[in-house]
Amino acid sequence: MAPLDNNDAPRMTERFGYSVIQWSAAWDPSLADLLHFAPELVLEKRVAIVACDSGPYRPSTDQLLAGWTLAGAVAISSEIAQAEDLPTPGFDEWYVFDTVPESAPTRCHVNQYDFSALDEVGAIQGFWDQIICTRPLHVLGAGTPNMFVVTRDTHLVSRIKEFVLPSSAD
């Protein structure tokens, strides 16, 4: 991951019982970088993939046989054993659950240029309505130019800060 400059400094807030961390950089953000650093975001969880490379993700036959399901256009993983098993091409939006969700998210937001999980008006209302309705543990998003983590797991907040703001102590 390229180092962040001052204009790319992460921003944080809390909404509806979730912590939100968002950062931007002059690179194509990828959830692969985040998962390499913090695989615990998805391990032993179910991931509802709303967007994968800007569109719906179609699980392979092997994935479907292993327990992946489809809820409309949304692919829902079986329990994740390895973070590397998830597709991370960019322009991804994932809703992470402890178990199979009762209600799956349906709308994609990261495909909207400059979508921000921190906005207060516009498309953000639909984003938060979807979170409130489905109650995921985390929402992970990688679009242009923003990448974000929305989480109810307060212990992961400091871990994500380590990823976004690596120690400069040498």
Side-chain angles (χ1 to χ4, degrees), residues 122-144:
I124 196 65
Q125 185 61 48
F127 177 75
W128 283 105
D129 288 348
Q130 184 162 269
I131 290 173
I132 291 166
C133 178
T134 61
R135 297 293 300 155
L137 179 59
H138 320 298
V139 180
L140 311 178
T144 297

Side-chain angles (χ1 to χ4, degrees), residues 79-159:
E79 188 173 285
I80 299 299
Q82 297 180 51
E84 296 81 17
D85 291 341
L86 290 163
T88 56
F91 289 93
D92 302 313
E93 186 173 338
W94 300 352
Y95 292 72
V96 181
F97 299 88
D98 287 317
T99 60
V100 175
E102 292 179 26
S103 175
T106 58
R107 289 173 281 172
C108 172
H109 297 88
V110 297
N111 290 341
Q112 179 182 8
Y113 179 76
D114 204 27
F115 173 77
S116 171
L118 300 171
D119 281 348
E120 307 240 348
V121 295
I124 196 65
Q125 185 61 48
F127 177 75
W128 283 105
D129 288 348
Q130 184 162 269
I131 290 173
I132 291 166
C133 178
T134 61
R135 297 293 300 155
L137 179 59
H138 320 298
V139 180
L140 311 178
T144 297
N146 298 316
M147 190 161 175
F148 60 85
V149 174
V150 175
T151 183
R152 287 188 282 128
D153 186 336
T154 56
H155 295 96
L156 272 176
V157 172
S158 60
R159 182 96 168 104

Side-chain angles (χ1 to χ4, degrees), residues 35 37-45 83 96 137-138 153 156 159-160:
L35 294 180
F37 182 82
E40 64 270 26
L41 284 164
V42 297
L43 293 180
E44 300 179 358
K45 307 280 188 258
V96 181
L137 179 59
H138 320 298
D153 186 336
L156 272 176
R159 182 96 168 104
I160 302 307

